[in-house]
Amino acid sequence: MIDNPGDIRNVRIEDEMKVSYLDYAMSVIVSRALPDVRDGLKPVHRRILYTMGEMGLSATSSYRKCAAIVGEVMGKYHPHGDVALYDALVRLAQDFSLRYPLVDGQGNFGSVDGDAAAAMRYTEARLTAMATEMLADIDKETVDYEDNYDGTQQQPTVLPSKLPNLLINGSSGIAVGMATNIPPHHLGEIVDATIALIDDPDITTDDLCVHVTGPDFPTGGTIFRFERQRNTISGDWETIDAIRQMYAHGRGRVVMRAKVAFEEVKGDRIAIIVNELPYQVNKSALLEKIADLVKDKKIDGIADLRDESDRDGMRMYIEIKRDANPHKVLNNLFKHTALQQTFNMNMLALVDGQPQTLPLKSVLHYHVEHRREIVRRRTEFDLGKARARAHILEGLKKALDNLDAVISTIRESADAEVAKSNLMSRFDLSELQAQAILDMRLARLAALERKKIEDEYLAVIQEIAELEDILANPARVLAIIKDELRELKRKYAGERRTRVEDGESRELTDEDLIADEDVVITISGRGYIKRQPVATYRRQARGGKGIIGHVTREEDAVEHLLVANTHDWALFFTNRGRVFSAKVHAIPDASRQAKGLPIINMPGVQVEAGEVPMATITLPEFAAGSYLVLATRRGIIKKTPLEQFERVRSTGIRAITLDEKDELAWVDVSSGEDDVIIATAQGMIARFSEGEVRAMGRDAGGVIGIRLLKKAGDEVVAMSVVQPGADLLVLSETGYGKRVPIEEFRVKHRGGQGVRLISLEGRKTGVVAAVQQVTELDEELVLISAQGQVVRTELDSVNRYSPNARGVIVMRLNEGDRIVGIAAFRPGLAEARDTDDNGGPDAGAPPS
């Protein structure tokens, strides 16, 4: 039965569903899921902080049970379930969820492993110092209030929020038909950008990005500034500044990557150590995912996996199998697990109650406007208080100036009301002033107390003038905002946690994960090759015996030694005049005791039977206008443009056509206008202009560079392009060595026998073993013997001598051993040109 038939309306169900759903959607958008651009808070978080402020739970107060806080919030302002309310409170206290937590929790508030917080009856909380900055001046009528759900309480519509909280702590939420996902940022960077915007309202996003380098996640990790995207019009791949584009449009994405390091463990094994995870990655779930991938054989090479995290920090331990490539394993982990993730930013927030996607500049602008309003209302409140106090003090001063008359008037009055009325009429006082006089204690009549009233009055008058000037001068309001921001930065900013790499995020390759470092490459006469970090060999004084750097088999001596960078190209020239290429990091990394890998087993090096790599050079790039200068054992020399060797087939290409009795042995890079030196085993050297050797194609055979002595065993032992101002470091087989300024040798024509380079003394010195150019006194040397002994020493420990001297002992050898190679390098060169692995991981190559 219908009590009021007149209330019934005929409505189409489609229209009713549309209206009801839109009302519901707007309610979710405005009152639940999206943050306000001014304070960066959703209603539930705002109510929690406001209630805790009402309860007196400041950063210096004692803790209160979370159950009491949840009950207070739920009873007064938030008519929803206690579980959801407590979850919101817990997140405000998690230092792995918020960059700057707003709640100081005591007890179990969850973990990065996804563990839930303890029940609210066990945990306690209070506000952090940052949260008190959010509530500062709320008692000075700085914000508007509205009725709570039942009209019995008043709650703020927004918090005063000195902090740009929307950016520094970020926000995420799913509404109806829209969602927000804002990353946290570093307070100091946001403050600097806000001040820059105040100083220059026309500032561009690019200029703001000078201050805001990117998101700063509480869990650290690494993000990449650049990203490769396909142009929707041309279809070409382009490299874009993903961070700047994201801030310019209010939406975009950044690639996040865990912080990893390589660590040497027992038995020459390598372990990958993960110290920081991408934002919002569950560590326990990540470990389970890796274990599943290993079990399903989607990732090979992992021998052990465990969580070694403790109170000192996070540590995930991933041990690599002895025969596995740790870089490939790490590559697969980045590709298939949450060690690398994408953060999709959508800066959606409420502006005047309406959802808007905002670029960085707009978010900062709305915060500045909010703070301008807060400072104005706070100043007006303080001004009203000051004026009211000045009014009272004026009445007290008037009473003190007419003290006897005032006392007489009060004594003659029948009661307090009559006394108030008589004071008002006789001394022209307001009711407030008259009441203040009646309430004044007799102690205030003392001379010092009267002076205090006068001083207070003058101070209040000055304060009123100051407050009025602030209200009349908008520039002063902005100056106050800037000063408050600088103070917040000083007190709370701290260090940035997330590293921003200028490298490009893209599909990972092995090379992206290789450290940019100097390594020593050794090649034996039987073609075994390996690389080791330069740091493997500590410096020694001249004349030391060194340490084992290469274990050789019988009748297999070390023949070649060079120092290169892991990102260089290596060109291998064989005795038959062919050339192969590979990246230096593709050369197997092995311990000092290992003999290395047969060079024929390297990808891209398919030598034939009887073919041995004789000369190896490393190049960072194939620069146009450069040449390769090649020399043979019998003194033939040739010059070919370098770009002809940029693309080398896995089967190799021809570099020089040789006589049957000759072998290609030396290669160097020239500019086309250099001098060339050729040194022989019998201590002779020829220097001539490179112009005397015309450029030839790869199939040409070359011309005579030096004529060998007829003495048995003479052959070319070194060829290089002259570096002006360099010294020649000469080493004999038995370890004698010296430096000779290269200017000691005049330029002559090619094809002669040359001049004396070193004085040889039969068995005492042996023949010349190696000749190396050196240019800097701060360079270091690495020497190696046929039996694998390695010495690393400083160059300036080897003195200069004339061409006719034999030099001094540079390396002491074992019986029957001989010097076979020398390399000079500048320590720290890799660090000087380091680009952080072109966007690779923070770790370097695994140690030997």
Side-chain angles (χ1 to χ4, degrees):
M1 180 176 179
I2 300 174
D3 296 331
N4 298 304
D7 291 341
I8 297 176
R9 294 178 295 116
N10 291 323
V11 179
R12 289 174 54 86
I13 189 169
E14 296 91 340
D15 297 337
E16 181 61 28
M17 290 181 66
K18 183 184 299 184
V19 171
S20 298
Y21 187 77
L22 286 175
D23 288 345
Y24 162 74
M26 287 305 299
S27 174
V28 171
I29 290 169
V30 175
S31 302
R32 187 177 300 179
L34 298 186
D36 193 294
V37 70
R38 295 169 293 178
D39 62 6
L41 296 173
K42 301 176 186 178
V44 62
H45 300 128
R46 188 179 300 117
R47 291 164 182 167
I48 290 172
L49 297 181
Y50 178 67
T51 302
M52 294 180 71
E54 278 189 320
M55 296 171 69
L57 300 179
S58 68
T60 57
S61 71
S62 59
Y63 293 90
R64 286 285 301 277
K65 286 289 186 183
C66 289
I69 299 171
V70 169
E72 190 80 3
V73 177
M74 189 167 56
K76 286 186 175 181
Y77 307 114
H78 198 70
H80 298 281
D82 60 331
V83 175
L85 187 54
Y86 181 54
D87 287 344
L89 172 65
V90 165
R91 188 177 185 278
L92 291 176
Q94 291 175 337
D95 59 3
F96 54 86
S97 294
L98 267 65
R99 179 63 178 83
Y100 299 94
L102 301 177
V103 170
D104 179 11
Q106 184 168 265
N108 175 18
F109 277 79
S111 72
V112 73
D113 285 315
D115 300 320
M120 68 180 80
R121 63 182 178 274
Y122 299 120
T123 56
E124 298 177 334
R126 64 183 179 187
L127 294 174
T128 63
M130 294 280 283
T132 59
E133 304 289 358
M134 300 281 293
L135 294 165
D137 303 321
I138 197 170
D139 56 346
K140 294 186 176 182
E141 299 177 1
T142 51
V143 295
D144 294 332
Y145 283 75
E146 63 184 1
D147 288 339
N148 69 340
Y149 60 90
D150 61 359
T152 59
Q153 302 282 340
Q154 288 280 295
Q155 61 185 2
T157 58
V158 69
L159 297 187
S161 185
K162 285 184 182 179
L163 302 164
N165 184 62
L166 183 66
L167 288 171
I168 67 170
N169 273 325
S171 184
S172 62
I174 301 175
V176 179
M178 60 186 68
T180 186
N181 199 28
I182 304 171
H185 293 80
H186 187 257
L187 174 60
E189 294 182 356
I190 297 300
V191 165
D192 292 341
T194 306
I195 292 174
L197 176 63
I198 292 174
D199 292 337
D200 179 14
D202 296 326
I203 192 171
T204 64
T205 299
D206 285 351
D207 293 332
L208 288 175
C209 287
V210 172
H211 305 285
V212 183
T213 58
D216 186 25
F217 299 108
T219 53
T222 302
I223 59 176
F224 295 93
R225 173 173 296 280
F226 297 101
E227 183 180 7
R228 290 189 70 201
Q229 288 187 357
R230 190 180 293 277
N231 189 300
T232 56
I233 299 175
S234 66
D236 298 331
W237 285 98
E238 300 176 338
T239 299
I240 64 167
D241 189 330
I243 292 179
R244 294 200 176 192
Q245 190 174 83
M246 179 176 69
Y247 288 141
H249 302 289
R251 61 173 66 239
R253 71 173 197 169
V254 290
V255 176
M256 307 180 294
R257 183 178 288 177
K259 177 185 175 183
V260 300
F262 290 107
E263 186 176 286
E264 185 177 8
V265 294
K266 57 187 177 182
D268 292 334
R269 286 192 176 182
I270 302 299
I272 298 171
I273 307 300
V274 181
N275 301 115
E276 297 174 3
L277 291 178
Y279 186 48
Q280 295 178 326
V281 169
N282 185 312
K283 175 160 62 70
S284 179
L286 173 61
L287 288 166
E288 291 180 10
K289 175 67 173 178
I290 296 174
D292 290 340
L293 289 172
V294 174
K295 181 180 178 182
D296 296 339
K297 299 188 177 182
K298 292 182 179 179
I299 293 183
D300 294 324
I302 294 180
D304 192 12
L305 173 68
R306 58 180 181 265
D307 185 3
E308 297 181 348
S309 305
D310 55 23
R311 66 180 63 187
D312 296 325
M314 179 183 298
R315 179 181 167 90
M316 287 174 52
Y317 177 92
I318 307 170
E319 185 174 319
I320 308 302
K321 293 179 180 177
R322 184 174 283 104
D323 58 345
N325 185 328
H327 303 294
K328 291 183 179 179
V329 174
L330 182 58
N331 190 358
N332 279 317
L333 288 173
F334 281 139
K335 185 173 183 179
H336 297 293
T337 73
L339 285 179
Q340 176 171 308
Q341 278 199 333
T342 300
F343 187 96
N344 295 289
M345 187 185 85
N346 184 20
M347 203 114 69
L348 183 69
L350 295 176
V351 180
D352 296 328
Q354 299 296 319
Q356 293 185 23
T357 298
L358 304 168
L360 175 63
K361 181 177 178 180
S362 295
V363 176
L364 297 175
H365 167 75
Y366 284 119
H367 177 72
V368 171
E369 291 302 306
H370 175 56
R371 287 304 300 168
R372 196 198 298 255
E373 175 72 8
I374 296 299
V375 172
R376 181 189 66 78
R377 294 178 65 164
R378 180 183 68 192
T379 305
E380 290 176 346
F381 179 85
D382 291 340
L383 180 59
K385 289 287 187 180
R387 285 173 174 169
R389 183 58 181 167
H391 181 66
I392 296 298
L393 292 173
E394 286 171 354
L396 295 178
K397 282 178 81 281
K398 190 178 290 186
L400 293 174
D401 292 340
N402 301 279
L403 185 57
D404 293 339
V406 168
I407 293 174
S408 176
T409 300
I410 295 173
R411 290 179 62 185
E412 293 171 358
S413 301
D415 54 30
E417 287 299 320
V418 174
K420 183 195 297 184
S421 177
N422 290 338
L423 288 172
M424 293 170 60
S425 60
R426 183 172 180 180
F427 300 102
D428 192 21
L429 300 172
S430 69
E431 183 175 356
L432 289 175
Q433 289 173 325
Q435 185 62 49
I437 292 171
L438 291 173
D439 294 339
M440 185 171 60
R441 297 168 54 205
L442 290 177
R444 302 299 297 273
L445 302 180
L448 289 178
E449 292 298 323
R450 296 176 63 178
K451 181 68 167 60
K452 287 182 180 179
I453 292 175
E454 293 173 356
D455 292 344
E456 183 184 358
Y457 179 70
L458 289 176
V460 171
I461 292 300
Q462 291 175 356
E463 181 185 359
I464 291 173
E466 178 77 5
L467 294 172
E468 288 176 340
D469 184 63
I470 291 173
L471 291 174
N473 190 350
R476 290 204 61 187
V477 174
L478 293 176
I480 291 172
I481 295 172
K482 288 162 61 176
D483 289 341
E484 291 177 347
L485 287 171
R486 292 191 185 100
E487 181 63 13
L488 291 173
K489 175 182 175 181
R490 184 189 67 82
K491 291 168 64 177
Y492 305 113
E495 296 295 327
R496 184 178 178 86
R497 297 181 185 176
T498 300
R499 292 162 299 282
V500 179
E501 300 288 353
D502 287 334
E504 178 183 298
S505 67
R506 59 189 183 275
E507 188 69 23
L508 295 173
T509 66
D510 286 346
E511 187 171 353
D512 291 326
L513 306 171
I514 302 298
D516 193 357
E517 65 173 353
D518 290 327
V519 292
V520 175
I521 301 171
T522 56
I523 307 174
S524 74
R526 295 182 62 179
Y528 282 84
I529 186 172
K530 70 175 181 178
R531 65 177 169 90
Q532 300 165 269
V534 168
T536 303
Y537 307 100
R538 60 180 177 85
R539 297 184 187 91
Q540 297 184 17
R542 175 180 60 81
K545 295 191 66 172
I547 60 175
I548 290 293
H550 192 112
V551 175
T552 59
R553 293 182 174 183
E554 293 184 22
E555 302 177 356
D556 182 21
V558 175
E559 294 288 346
H560 302 286
L561 171 77
L562 65 154
V563 175
N565 187 272
T566 49
H567 285 258
D568 288 347
W569 282 97
L571 296 180
F572 303 98
F573 295 83
T574 71
N575 56 335
R576 293 184 178 176
R578 294 202 303 155
V579 60
F580 302 86
S581 70
K583 279 288 191 175
V584 168
H585 62 73
I587 298 172
D589 185 34
S591 68
R592 292 188 295 108
Q593 291 77 19
K595 64 179 182 293
L597 179 78
I599 199 168
I600 59 174
N601 291 343
M602 285 185 57
V605 183
Q606 299 181 14
V607 298
E608 299 174 352
E611 193 173 15
V612 179
M614 296 296 293
T616 302
I617 64 168
T618 57
L619 303 165
E621 59 183 355
F622 294 86
S626 297
Y627 295 86
L628 276 187
V629 181
L630 302 91
T632 71
R633 293 281 187 191
R634 301 184 66 181
I636 301 298
I637 191 166
K638 174 191 173 183
K639 182 173 72 175
T640 303
L642 179 59
E643 56 262 32
Q644 293 191 20
F645 298 90
E646 185 169 3
R647 292 177 177 83
V648 179
R649 299 184 298 271
S650 61
T651 54
I653 58 175
R654 175 68 57 189
I656 186 173
T657 299
L658 296 171
D659 182 88
E660 291 183 1
K661 298 180 180 180
D662 203 358
E663 290 182 337
L664 174 63
W666 288 274
V667 181
D668 203 355
V669 180
S670 74
S671 66
E673 300 178 354
D674 299 312
D675 291 345
V676 177
I677 57 170
I678 302 178
T680 71
Q682 295 300 326
M684 304 301 290
I685 183 171
R687 177 179 179 181
F688 53 88
S689 172
E690 181 188 343
E692 295 194 4
V693 183
R694 65 179 179 86
M696 307 177 187
R698 290 188 290 104
D699 292 330
V703 295
I704 295 177
I706 189 172
R707 295 186 185 275
L708 303 177
L709 298 179
K710 295 183 179 179
K711 191 173 182 179
D714 197 16
E715 63 181 6
V716 174
V717 294
M719 182 280 298
S720 63
V721 174
V722 171
Q723 303 176 47
D727 289 349
L728 283 180
L729 181 65
V730 188
L731 281 177
S732 73
E733 283 185 315
T734 60
Y736 282 89
K738 66 177 180 177
R739 282 189 291 150
V740 184
I742 206 165
E743 302 306 326
E744 293 275 350
F745 308 103
R746 292 187 296 110
V747 178
K748 296 186 177 182
H749 295 292
R750 69 171 179 84
Q753 289 187 339
V755 297
R756 178 63 58 189
L757 170 64
I758 186 173
S759 177
L760 300 177
E761 301 179 8
R763 295 181 61 183
K764 183 173 184 178
T765 59
V767 297
V768 175
V771 179
Q772 170 74 43
Q773 281 191 86
V774 291
T775 58
E776 300 287 346
L777 288 179
D778 60 349
E779 284 189 349
E780 295 184 3
L781 305 175
V782 177
L783 295 80
I784 192 166
S785 73
Q787 295 178 3
Q789 292 291 124
V790 174
V791 164
R792 176 183 175 185
T793 188
E794 295 182 356
L795 173 63
D796 58 6
S797 68
V798 183
N799 295 329
R800 288 188 177 93
Y801 290 89
S802 71
N804 293 322
R806 75 180 180 198
V808 294
I809 288 291
V810 179
M811 181 178 181
R812 298 191 183 278
L813 300 170
N814 295 322
E815 185 70 26
D817 201 1
R818 60 185 175 85
I819 296 285
V820 294
I822 182 172
F825 70 99
R826 188 178 308 163
L829 187 60
E831 289 79 1
R833 64 180 174 180
D834 183 33
T835 56
D836 215 357
D837 301 339
N838 296 320
D842 305 282
S848 298

